[in-house]
Amino acid sequence: MRTQLKVRRNDKQALLAKMKIIQGWNGKMSEDEKQVLSLFHWLSLDWLKRTANRDAMMNLVFVCNIALILANKGYPRNYMGENNEDFATVLTHLKQAIERGKKTGSWALNGELIMKMPAILAMHDRQLEEVSRKVYESVNRYVGENA
């Protein structure tokens, strides 16, 4: 009888632990998670401004694709397309920069990207405030698989 109680207690603890994980998965990201993601993206932009390199360029491509998908999913709330022109400009110039980088090995940003990219990153920061971890992870996985 004691073993049954012990097993049940462990089962309850395991169930409680799983419930916490599920609640966290469906809930918002922690402040630390949002801050780390935001810093990573802003530092990638700064890194690319200072030193032309492929890794920083790919980081920006990745975050732009995530931000675009999240915008199409309704994040941030009340998004009325105010960054659509910036998206079009940034994604066009990123595509050109990638093609140039593959041909010449130069992974530098041009002036349009430097000017428009902060608007996309600022919007993505607003998205991070609202999006659940579950939605963010699914979009992140989708972009990674289709890169």
Side-chain angles (χ1 to χ4, degrees):
M1 186 103 167
R2 278 189 163 227
T3 21
Q4 288 178 344
L5 288 175
K6 200 173 202 179
V7 171
R8 284 186 183 170
R9 198 172 297 142
N10 287 340
D11 287 347
K12 286 180 184 178
Q13 288 175 345
L15 181 60
L16 185 61
K18 285 180 184 179
M19 286 173 58
K20 285 182 182 179
I21 290 170
I22 291 168
Q23 287 173 341
W25 177 248
N26 287 322
K28 303 282 188 239
M29 288 185 261
S30 72
E31 290 302 314
D32 287 343
E33 289 172 312
K34 290 185 279 192
Q35 187 176 29
V36 165
L37 283 169
S38 177
L39 277 173
F40 177 74
H41 301 133
W42 284 99
L43 288 174
S44 292
L45 176 60
D46 187 58
W47 183 23
L48 197 51
K49 284 181 184 177
R50 296 170 188 269
T51 308
N53 66 77
R54 183 184 184 283
D55 291 337
M57 181 74 72
M58 292 303 126
N59 291 345
L60 292 182
V61 169
F62 201 77
V63 72
C64 283
N65 285 321
I66 289 173
L68 181 61
I69 291 170
L70 288 174
N72 286 326
K73 287 184 170 282
Y75 297 98
R77 199 177 7 200
N78 300 326
Y79 178 69
M80 300 301 287
E82 57 269 16
N83 293 103
N84 286 353
E85 187 178 311
D86 294 333
F87 268 122
T89 302
V90 165
L91 290 172
T92 300
H93 285 281
L94 282 172
K95 183 177 180 185
Q96 292 170 353
I98 290 168
E99 289 170 2
R100 181 183 65 241
K102 287 179 180 177
K103 288 179 185 173
T104 66
S106 171
W107 296 94
L109 290 174
N110 63 27
E112 282 286 315
L113 277 171
I114 291 171
M115 288 176 22
K116 301 285 185 174
M117 198 66 205
I120 301 300
L121 294 180
M123 187 188 82
H124 187 60
D125 286 345
R126 290 190 349 245
Q127 291 171 327
L128 290 174
E129 291 295 322
E130 297 177 15
V131 71
S132 71
R133 180 180 286 112
K134 181 179 181 179
V135 170
Y136 187 83
E137 287 296 325
S138 70
V139 170
N140 191 12
R141 191 176 326 109
Y142 176 80
V143 170
E145 290 170 355
N146 293 293

